[in-house]
């Protein structure tokens, strides 16, 4: 659903979204109805009648779904608002009383439940990287730069890391669906920022955490969404701005910020020594800022630097940073706002370039209201994963990535082809760079254009055939063929049976891929690899909370 994005509170606009929500509700489109009511809640002025009305209407949908606990919480939000409309107060207490009665009837209750398994790291945890396997280590070379390799033999299906997103920004289409801070895929009972109409939170904890950056973004959210994100770069400018604001929390003094920039440009950061277990946010900013080399001055650089200069201009003139700078001047006679602005711009440009090649798009499938098992993906945010981003590209990968859990931003890396101890792990950055889907020349053109290097992976050197031209080798035994046939049929069964079938199949598929690795690539192994991916997807994919029927 498209929204006219303006960050100011506006009662008229709030009323219009209430009416839209009513129309969607009349047509039993609960998805868009909730989204519209959330928009109405965001735009409502603090003391207007639209605010409690939006909460009440949202609670009405939860009641229809049998989600009475969620309905009660939404009504409690409504009761915390201040309104002089006595009629609304009466309606609110009546609706709350009915909801409490329903809560006393166990047969009427439905609740959220987890419908997927929780993925677990296959090996012991890494001492310096608490979300990764102890078999992974950071290495460097003149050819590959920074990369990850394994100290153990790895089998397809094994899980190597489950990294939480460090910094993330929400896509504009989801501002009334998900928490601005944690991006939870549960848009039940979000409550709005009290100052702007473009941020909602799922808890007081998320609201408190967001103050690190949102107190600056709040006044300029309309500009961020409608100007900075309305370019070919999408949400990348906002991501860079968010990273800058997080950095300023720790490096607000001019000399500290300048030193951070100079150190990053020197290229002397030691990624192998970085400890994810003990490092604080300040250390993370050094890490992320060092992920790219100094950009070359060309047409792209000029375009990006102009955009970054505009962002700094808006930030220093329209946000509370303006008052912070004034305070710096009062307490430091040597402080120069022009030099401070120049350094901030340079830092922002560097973050922008980091994001061009290191940021991932978060996806989930399907939404909570969709009871089907359709494998459609939905991109809802951008995020950066400092450890995962060290993995180099190959058009034929030996590991793959998947956003996992329900309403989470965790990024799982799992093995999809056998990897010998001491070998580097590779991931394919985009589908267009996968040898199975794109011919060699097109892949190299894309990789050179977007990442600035010519791929020398085994698929490119040996010019592997695309999927449609792979040959059938008739490798598997009759027993293996029969297992695959039976397993494919079981994947269409009931959820509980599917989970058991997937776990059993992962072990068999891993053995098959190891056994016939020397015949790779061929149609037989490609089909087994696809089945392994499908089992991983069914078990762990990122999916919002479901509810019991």
């Amino acid at each position: 659903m498209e929204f006219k994005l303006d960050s100011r509170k506006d009662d008229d606009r709030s009323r219009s979204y209430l009416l839209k929500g009513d129309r969607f509700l009349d047509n039993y489109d609960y998805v868009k109805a909730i989204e519209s009511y959330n928009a109405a809640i965001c735009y409502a002025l603090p003391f207007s009648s639209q605010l409690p009305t939006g909460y009440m209407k949202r609670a009405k949908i939860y009641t229809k779904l049998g989600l009475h606990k969620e309905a009660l919480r939404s009504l409690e939000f409504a009761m915390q608002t201040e309104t002089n409309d006595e009629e609304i107060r009466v309606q609110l207490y009546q609706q709350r009383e009915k909801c409490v009665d329903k809560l006393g009837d166990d047969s009427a209750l439905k609740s959220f439940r987890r419908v997927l398994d929780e993925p677990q790291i296959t090996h012991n945890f890494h001492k310096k990287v608490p979300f990764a396997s102890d078999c992974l280590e950071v290495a460097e070379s003149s050819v590959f730069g920074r990369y990850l390799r394994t100290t153990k033999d790895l089998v397809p299906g094994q899980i190597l890391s489950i990294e939480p997103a460090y910094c993330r920004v929400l896509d504009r289409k989801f501002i009334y669906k998900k928490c601005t801070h944690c991006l939870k895929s549960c848009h039940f009972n979000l409550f709005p920022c009290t100052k702007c109409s473009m941020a909602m939170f799922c808890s007081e904890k998320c609201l408190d955490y967001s103050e690190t950056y949102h107190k600056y973004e709040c006044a300029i959210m309309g500009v961020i969404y409608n100007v900075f994100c309305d370019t070919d770069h999408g949400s990348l400018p906002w991501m860079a701005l968010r990273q800058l604001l997080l950095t300023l929390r720790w490096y607000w003094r001019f000399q500290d910020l300048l030193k951070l920039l100079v150190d990053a440009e020197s290229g002397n950061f030691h990624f192998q020594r970085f400890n994810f277990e003990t490092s604080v946010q300040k250390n993370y900013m050094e890490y992320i800022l060092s992920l790219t080399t100094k950009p070359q001055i060309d047409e792209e650089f000029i375009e990006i630097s102009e955009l970054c200069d505009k962002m700094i201009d808006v930030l220093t003139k329209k946000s509370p940073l303006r008052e912070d700078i004034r305070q710096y001047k009062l307490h430091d006679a040597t402080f120069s706002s022009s030099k401070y602005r120049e350094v901030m711009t340079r830092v922002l440009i560097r973050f922008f370039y980091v994001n061009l090649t290191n940021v991932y798009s978060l996806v989930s499938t399907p939404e909570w209201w969709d009871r089907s098992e359709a494998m459609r993906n939905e991109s809802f945010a951008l995020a950066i994963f400092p450890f995962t981003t060290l993995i180099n590209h190959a058009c034929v990968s030996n590991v793959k990535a998947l956003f996992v859990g329900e309403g989470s931003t965790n990024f799982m890396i799992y093995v999809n082809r056998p990897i010998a101890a001491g070998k580097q792990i590779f991931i394919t950055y985009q589908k267009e760079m996968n040898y199975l889907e794109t011919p060699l020349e097109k892949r190299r053109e894309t990789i050179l254009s977007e990442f600035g290097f010519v791929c020398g992976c085994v698929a490119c050197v040996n010019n592997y055939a695309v999927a449609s031209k792979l040959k059938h080798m008739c490798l598997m035994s009759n027993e293996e063929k029969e297992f695959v046939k039976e397993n494919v049929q079981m994947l269409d069964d009931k959820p509980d049976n599917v989970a058991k079938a997937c776990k059993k199949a992962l072990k068999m598929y891993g053995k098959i891929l190891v056994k016939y690795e020397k015949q790779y690539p061929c149609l037989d192994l490609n089909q087994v690899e696809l089945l392994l991916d499908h089992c991983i997807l069914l078990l762990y994919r990122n999916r919002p909370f479901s509810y019991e029927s």
Side-chain angles (χ1 to χ4, degrees), residues 205-231:
K205 184 178 180 180
C206 280
L207 177 62
D208 291 341
Y209 279 140
S210 73
E211 281 303 298
T212 305
Y213 53 84
H214 188 64
K215 67 177 181 180
Y216 297 108
E217 294 178 350
C218 186
I220 58 174
M221 286 299 293
V223 180
I224 289 174
Y225 276 124
N226 295 319
V227 179
F228 301 153
C229 295
D230 191 24
T231 67

Side-chain angles (χ1 to χ4, degrees), residues 393-398 416-418 426 428 432-444 455-471 516-523 525-526 529:
H393 163 82
C395 299
V396 52
S397 66
N398 50 25
N416 68 298
R417 287 187 59 214
F426 290 101
T428 302
E432 293 77 10
M433 302 174 189
N434 188 325
Y435 85 92
L436 290 167
E437 299 188 25
T438 310
L440 174 61
E441 292 305 317
K442 180 61 177 178
R443 294 201 311 271
R444 284 190 163 170
C455 185
C457 74
V458 63
C460 290
V461 172
N462 297 316
N463 196 11
Y464 281 178
V466 294
S468 61
K469 296 183 179 180
L470 286 178
K471 295 181 180 179
Y516 302 109
E517 169 65 7
K518 291 184 179 180
Q519 278 71 44
Y520 190 91
C522 65
L523 187 60
L525 297 182
N526 175 242
E529 187 179 327

Side-chain angles (χ1 to χ4, degrees), residues 23-47:
R23 289 195 292 271
F24 288 130
L25 182 58
D26 290 341
N27 291 321
Y28 304 99
D29 192 339
Y30 298 150
V31 178
K32 292 181 180 178
I34 290 180
E35 191 176 358
S36 295
Y37 291 148
N38 277 344
I41 290 168
C42 270
Y43 276 104
L45 291 168
F47 302 103

Side-chain angles (χ1 to χ4, degrees), residues 275-394:
N275 192 320
F276 286 85
E277 178 72 42
T278 59
S279 294
V280 296
Q281 191 178 69
K282 184 175 184 178
N283 306 126
Y284 273 87
M285 303 326 294
E286 297 172 6
Y287 183 111
I288 295 171
L289 206 61
S290 301
L291 285 172
T292 189
T293 56
K294 190 173 182 180
Q296 298 295 320
I297 297 178
D298 54 16
E299 290 184 6
E300 182 183 51
F301 176 82
I302 293 172
E303 176 199 349
I304 290 174
S305 61
E306 288 177 351
L307 179 57
C308 289
D309 189 64
K310 290 178 182 177
M311 286 194 283
I312 294 297
D313 188 56
V314 170
L315 189 66
T316 55
K317 292 180 180 179
K318 303 293 184 181
S319 82
L321 187 62
R322 175 180 57 183
E323 181 59 26
D324 290 352
I325 292 174
R326 193 177 74 84
Q327 292 297 321
Y328 300 158
K329 287 183 178 180
L330 290 175
H331 294 92
D332 185 355
T334 64
F335 181 85
S336 168
S337 56
S338 61
K339 289 183 179 179
Y340 188 60
R341 173 181 167 138
E342 178 188 346
V343 173
M344 281 196 296
T345 304
R346 288 170 60 190
V347 171
L348 186 61
I349 291 172
R350 192 167 181 86
F351 275 130
F352 204 117
Y353 272 88
V354 168
N355 296 338
L356 283 174
T357 54
N358 293 282
V359 163
Y360 287 88
S361 179
L362 275 65
V363 297
S364 66
T365 176
E367 290 288 0
W368 65 269
W369 54 82
D370 189 345
R371 306 307 299 278
S372 72
E373 295 298 322
M375 293 302 166
R376 56 178 174 77
N377 285 337
E378 178 169 69
S379 177
F380 62 88
L382 294 181
I384 191 166
F385 301 86
F387 185 70
T388 300
T389 196
L390 296 179
I391 304 176
N392 279 333
H393 163 82

Side-chain angles (χ1 to χ4, degrees), residues 42 57 65 91 127 141 186 235 285 303 327 342 346 359 390 397 405 414 437 481 493 506 537:
C42 270
K57 288 179 178 291
L65 293 172
Q91 292 175 8
K127 291 182 179 180
S141 75
C186 169
S235 297
M285 303 326 294
E303 176 199 349
Q327 292 297 321
E342 178 188 346
R346 288 170 60 190
V359 163
L390 296 179
S397 66
Y414 68 93
E437 299 188 25
K481 290 177 182 177
D493 207 339
L506 285 175
L537 190 66

Side-chain angles (χ1 to χ4, degrees), residues 23-78:
R23 289 195 292 271
F24 288 130
L25 182 58
D26 290 341
N27 291 321
Y28 304 99
D29 192 339
Y30 298 150
V31 178
K32 292 181 180 178
I34 290 180
E35 191 176 358
S36 295
Y37 291 148
N38 277 344
I41 290 168
C42 270
Y43 276 104
L45 291 168
F47 302 103
S48 75
S49 60
Q50 272 70 252
L51 189 55
T53 300
Y55 285 126
M56 289 169 61
K57 288 179 178 291
R58 194 173 69 177
K60 185 177 180 180
I61 297 178
Y62 303 155
T63 301
K64 285 180 177 291
L65 293 172
L67 300 169
H68 302 297
K69 290 181 181 179
E70 286 68 36
L72 183 60
R73 188 172 178 223
S74 191
L75 292 172
E76 287 171 349
F77 281 139

Side-chain angles (χ1 to χ4, degrees), residues 1 13 127 163-164 173 201 236 325 333 340 392 398 405 407 410 442 479 501 503 513 524:
M1 185 191 305
R13 186 165 289 179
K127 291 182 179 180
E163 183 176 6
K173 295 179 181 178
F201 303 95
L236 287 180
I325 292 174
Y340 188 60
N392 279 333
N398 50 25
N410 291 335
K442 180 61 177 178
E479 182 183 354
K503 292 175 182 178
L513 290 169
D524 314 54

Side-chain angles (χ1 to χ4, degrees), residues 228-248:
F228 301 153
C229 295
D230 191 24
T231 67
D232 292 339
H233 297 295
S235 297
L236 287 180
W238 186 17
M239 185 73 168
L241 184 65
R242 174 73 58 82
Q243 290 163 328
L244 173 65
L245 292 173
L246 292 172
T247 303
L248 292 179

